[in-house]
Every structure is written in C-alpha cells, then in structure tokens.
Amino acid sequence: MSCRLCGGNTQPMFEKRGIDSRTYAICRCADCTVWQIEPMPTADELKRLYQSEYFRQRSDRGYADYTSEKIYRSVTATLDKNLRDLGFFAWENTLPQPRRLLEVGCAAGHAVNYFAVRGWQTVGIDVAAEMVAAGRALGRNLVCADFLRYDFGRTHFDLITHWATLEHLPEAEQFVRRMRSLLAPGGKIYLSTCNTGYFARRHGKAWRYLNVPEHVFYFNAKSLAQLAQKCDLRVTRAFTYGSGYTTREHAGWFYRLSKSIADRAAKFALSGDMIVIEFTADTEPVPVDAVLALQGS
C-alpha cells in the first residue's frame, strides 16, 4: 500500500486489536518512515471516541476527569517545561501586542488559559463538544467546530499550538497546511506527537502509545521534517521526552532516580516516547541533519 503522507511504499510490521474489536495492521513507510494503521478509520468514527468517557476514565487511551484541577496542573506543568525547551519565553518578549494564539485540539482549554493569563489573545478549537462546553463554562474562548472548515475571518496567529493531537488525525497533512495558512508573519507552530524512537521499536505492539484506532499516525523527526517541507514549513527545533517510566505519586527514591536518568538519556538521544517540534515559515532553520542522524530511520 502507498503511504498516506508521502506516497511511498509501506510494509506491515505487525497487527493489533483495537478498542472497537477490529484488527489493524501497523505499517511503516520505507521513504518517510512514518507508521500508520490500516484500515484507516473515518473522521466520524474517530470523533465518536473523543466524547465523554475518553476524558473521564483514566487509561492508556484517555484521561481521568480532564476538567479537574489535578489534570490542569499536570497539563500546564508539562506545557511550561516544553515552552522552556522551545525558547518560547525569550521569543515572546520580542513580540508586539496584541499577541494572538490558536490552540488546535484544545479539549477543555487548559493550554488556552495558560496563554490568556500571560496576556495573549487566545482561541481554542476542538470537536469534543463536552470538553469545549466545560472550558467555556470557565470563561475560556473555545469553539466546537471542524478546524479544516471553520472560518477564522482575516485573523492570523503569532503562535499556533497542537499538543498530542496530530497522531489522531487521518487528515494530518491538511491540518498542518491549514495551520500554515493561518500563521502571521514571523509566526511559529508548536506541535507534539508520539515518537517512533527507541522505546516504540523495542516494545512493538506493546508500546504504550500504540492505541488503535484512535492513533492513526506515528511520527519521528524525519517524517515530521518531510511533512513540514511539503507544507512550506521548516523544522527549527526538535526534542523528545518520556522514557517509558510513568509518573508515580508515591514512588521510592530508586524509581525516581532511575526515571530521571532514563528521561535525560531519552531526551539527549531524541529517542523518547513524545517528540516536540517547532515549525517556522520565514526564518532560516537550524540544520536538522544532525537531528535526523540521531533519530535514524
């Protein structure tokens, strides 16, 4: 079969049974190296997964009460760490007012609120109606709509963020192209997604982020760089995090030390479970050859 992103040849690696009881093949593209599932579910089939229970029952596939204060603190703590590694705070200081942010895949708008508190003009968009309603009840500027079809008028954004969402989208390339079209001059896109690094390859079908059918694509630095090029964007920063050690509230010192060492090693080697990318459209890129060499194929 042909790769849905680059048109290259794909080869099945293994199969996995999905939450819908169907069996899906996990295929790898020989050219761009992205992993993808076959058959590809429709957008309507996926949309039904992201209502109500996905955000209320803690599992590898969802969250425990996403609207809770505990989840808000966890989301914003991870966001703050990612922004520091992206050099956001220094860049933010160079921007004139008003600074405009669009969050694509906002859920209840935790990240939208983070930027609003910092004085940004913010809007979030998502198809999860219950989450959008919960966020709007908290005073957040959120829209429940299809991002590819929603009319933003003449508004362009200094920053567009897309956290842990691209892996869910059969129309991944169209989403990135639409984000590119909405960037203001000098604007940036910050994106995070599952990374097919060391841990994904080691664990195979048992990898903790191999959730089918809701995760339809699995990227790495190489496939994201090629996707950026197709969409008239450049990769200017890339790093990974997550070593397979999950956070435990009452973990002992040895577990905490092991997790810290493993997390640092995964980040250094660009082999962590999640990858964070900065896309820009009109600045000279940091050379990515060294990044891709670390990532491998």
Side-chain angles (χ1 to χ4, degrees):
M1 291 175 285
S2 297
C3 175
R4 294 175 182 268
L5 290 181
C6 77
N9 294 322
T10 65
Q11 293 293 330
M13 299 187 297
F14 44 78
E15 294 183 339
K16 186 166 184 178
R17 190 174 179 84
I19 194 174
D20 57 358
S21 298
R22 297 173 68 185
T23 297
Y24 294 86
I26 314 301
C27 304
R28 178 184 180 276
C29 176
D31 295 334
C32 74
T33 73
V34 73
W35 297 5
Q36 54 206 282
I37 70 171
E38 291 290 348
M40 185 69 71
T42 67
D44 286 341
E45 288 172 338
L46 290 171
K47 182 179 178 180
R48 288 194 290 270
L49 293 173
Y50 307 129
Q51 310 301 327
S52 192
E53 297 306 314
Y54 183 82
F55 294 94
R56 294 191 181 281
Q57 294 184 356
R58 180 61 195 171
S59 71
D60 290 341
R61 317 184 99 87
Y63 300 88
D65 192 5
Y66 191 85
T67 59
S68 70
E69 180 65 21
K70 180 179 179 180
I71 294 295
Y72 174 79
R73 290 196 304 269
S74 174
V75 168
T76 53
T78 299
L79 174 61
D80 193 75
K81 291 178 182 177
N82 287 342
L83 292 176
R84 291 184 186 282
D85 285 333
L86 287 163
F88 164 78
F89 298 105
W91 174 69
E92 179 188 44
N93 289 334
T94 70
L95 297 176
Q97 294 285 3
R99 302 161 180 164
R100 295 185 175 89
L101 168 100
L102 170 63
E103 168 94 359
V104 181
C106 63
H110 295 335
V112 169
N113 185 68
Y114 177 98
F115 287 99
V117 169
R118 297 186 64 82
W120 287 66
Q121 292 183 4
T122 60
V123 60
I125 186 168
D126 205 304
V127 296
E130 184 177 340
M131 287 296 100
V132 169
R136 293 183 68 175
L138 295 171
R140 298 165 186 174
N141 184 25
L142 310 181
V143 176
C144 184
D146 181 342
F147 171 65
L148 294 180
R149 296 166 179 81
Y150 185 74
D151 184 4
F152 291 93
R154 297 187 178 183
T155 304
H156 287 76
F157 300 91
D158 302 290
L159 179 61
I160 299 176
T161 57
H162 191 59
W163 306 113
T165 303
L166 194 67
E167 62 271 19
H168 295 264
L169 305 174
E171 314 96 334
E173 181 179 336
Q174 293 94 314
F175 267 70
V176 176
R177 286 187 183 278
R178 182 85 201 280
M179 285 187 268
R180 168 66 182 90
S181 73
L182 293 168
L183 275 184
K188 298 174 184 275
I189 297 171
Y190 290 163
L191 179 154
S192 68
T193 188
C194 307
N195 179 50
T196 56
Y198 168 77
F199 300 101
R201 297 191 296 270
R202 175 186 175 188
H203 294 293
K205 68 171 63 179
W207 183 39
R208 60 176 175 159
Y209 287 136
L210 198 72
N211 295 334
V212 298
E214 58 267 45
H215 289 179
V216 298
F217 285 114
Y218 302 86
F219 295 88
N220 56 32
K222 181 176 181 179
S223 52
L224 286 168
Q226 291 193 16
L227 177 60
Q229 186 176 29
K230 290 181 67 177
C231 298
D232 191 29
L233 291 162
R234 305 182 184 96
V235 174
T236 46
R237 292 176 190 261
F239 64 89
T240 69
Y241 65 91
S243 61
Y245 281 82
T246 57
T247 300
R248 299 179 182 175
E249 292 187 15
H250 305 294
W253 69 267
F254 183 76
Y255 183 89
R256 295 197 305 272
L257 177 62
S258 299
K259 182 179 185 303
S260 177
I261 293 172
D263 285 349
R264 288 175 182 271
K267 183 175 181 179
F268 176 78
L270 209 66
S271 62
D273 280 333
M274 295 291 293
I275 186 166
V276 180
I277 291 283
E278 176 187 86
F279 291 150
T280 58
D282 56 357
T283 59
E284 287 303 314
V286 174
V288 296
D289 290 349
V291 173
L292 300 184
L294 280 173
Q295 177 69 39
S297 59

